[in-house]
Amino acid sequence: DTAVSQTPKYLVTQMGNDKSIKCEQNLGHDTMYWYKQDSKKFLKIMFSYNNKELIINETVPNRFSPKSPDKAHLNLHINSLELGDSAVYFCASSPQSGANVLTFGAGSRLTVL
Amino acid sequence: AQSVTQLDSHVSVSEGTPVLLRCNYSSSYSPSLFWYVQHPNKGLQLLLKYTSAATLVKGINGFEAEFKKSETSFHLTKPSAHMSDAAEYFCVVSERGGSYIPTFGRGTSLIVHP
């Protein structure tokens, strides 16, 4: 039973399309995150939600919109996809915001053609 | 403000020899420090964490790290490398008392030769 699950695992799409990545955690954690990992393996935080409330919103284009329907889910919607959006997107959760251990999903590899 | 610097982008060792992956941090508050490992095409897994208890922290798979405040370092070590240790390793800092945003280093790729 996967603790943090992301779907889809792979996503190939054309520039200009809109796509979503879903994330669910069954750990009972209060805080969820989206990270972007580029081709050089650098991990950059994009968003964080604590109990459905946005607490971190880094300098991410407006085309990216997170949505948290409940504290177990954090979805990422991307409008008007660009080539530079190609990356691996990781969802993570932690018991609460703060210096807690992150539990990561397996990642969603997005390729924009 | 917090930051973390992993001093080597690649480290290459032979199987059975010691591993040293270096990490320096900067923090305005008392930091929590973590090491995560990412095997190829996988998510990240926690190796170990420091949160103000013992300065020598033991983790999984024989790894350990020592928090040295005077040197602002949190280097990861293992006495004897195994082929299965080949992976990407990330040092992470999170300020207790600050913004708590976990900040990742740029990663160190560990290569293990037979």
Side-chain angles (χ1 to χ4, degrees):
Chain A
D1 196 19
T2 306
V4 180
S5 59
Q6 298 179 225
T7 54
K9 191 171 173 63
Y10 299 98
L11 190 52
V12 180
T13 189
Q14 301 286 334
M15 277 177 56
N17 285 350
D18 303 338
K19 290 294 177 187
S20 293
I21 306 172
K22 295 186 176 182
C23 179
E24 176 182 2
Q25 54 98 0
N26 63 6
L27 298 167
H29 288 172
D30 285 340
T31 307
M32 297 184 72
Y33 310 79
W34 277 110
Y35 281 85
K36 179 181 180 181
Q37 185 174 46
D38 63 23
S39 59
K40 296 185 178 179
K41 304 287 188 184
F42 180 54
L43 274 153
K44 182 172 165 50
I45 191 164
M46 300 173 70
F47 302 102
S48 177
Y49 272 72
N50 186 58
N51 215 354
K52 301 194 298 176
E53 183 180 335
L54 181 66
I55 57 171
I56 297 171
N57 184 355
E58 293 296 288
T59 50
V60 176
N62 290 340
R63 299 181 295 103
F64 290 79
S65 54
K67 284 199 173 41
S68 182
D70 55 61
K71 75 174 193 176
H73 296 84
L74 180 60
N75 303 323
L76 183 65
H77 188 75
I78 316 170
N79 290 326
S80 304
L81 279 156
E82 301 178 356
L83 292 176
D85 298 332
S86 295
V88 181
Y89 293 84
F90 284 99
C91 178
S93 71
S94 65
Q96 58 196 50
S97 62
N100 284 290
V101 173
L102 299 172
T103 302
F104 282 86
S108 297
R109 182 177 294 276
L110 171 65
T111 303
V112 182
L113 304 174
Chain B
Q2 63 189 21
S3 66
V4 60
T5 302
Q6 292 184 242
L7 297 164
D8 306 293
S9 59
H10 296 84
V11 169
S12 184
V13 301
S14 297
E15 192 174 20
T17 64
V19 174
L20 170 64
L21 304 183
R22 298 183 294 165
C23 173
N24 286 114
Y25 69 91
S26 170
S27 175
S28 304
Y29 300 88
S30 298
S32 288
L33 294 156
F34 308 80
W35 277 98
Y36 287 83
V37 60
Q38 183 181 25
H39 287 94
N41 300 313
K42 300 285 187 188
L44 284 81
Q45 180 186 17
L46 179 73
L47 271 180
L48 49 80
K49 65 177 181 179
Y50 165 78
T51 54
S52 85
T55 56
L56 182 62
V57 182
K58 294 190 184 300
I60 61 171
N61 300 334
F63 284 94
E64 63 181 37
E66 186 171 7
F67 173 71
K68 291 187 176 180
K69 186 175 181 179
S70 61
E71 298 176 11
T72 61
S73 69
F74 191 58
H75 300 335
L76 181 70
T77 60
K78 182 173 180 177
S80 176
H82 192 273
M83 294 298 291
S84 61
D85 294 328
E88 193 81 17
Y89 291 79
F90 294 94
C91 184
V92 179
V93 63
S94 181
E95 290 182 321
R96 288 174 285 125
S99 66
Y100 286 125
I101 299 174
T103 300
F104 280 71
R106 297 196 73 94
T108 298
S109 179
L110 177 63
I111 302 159
V112 182
H113 299 286

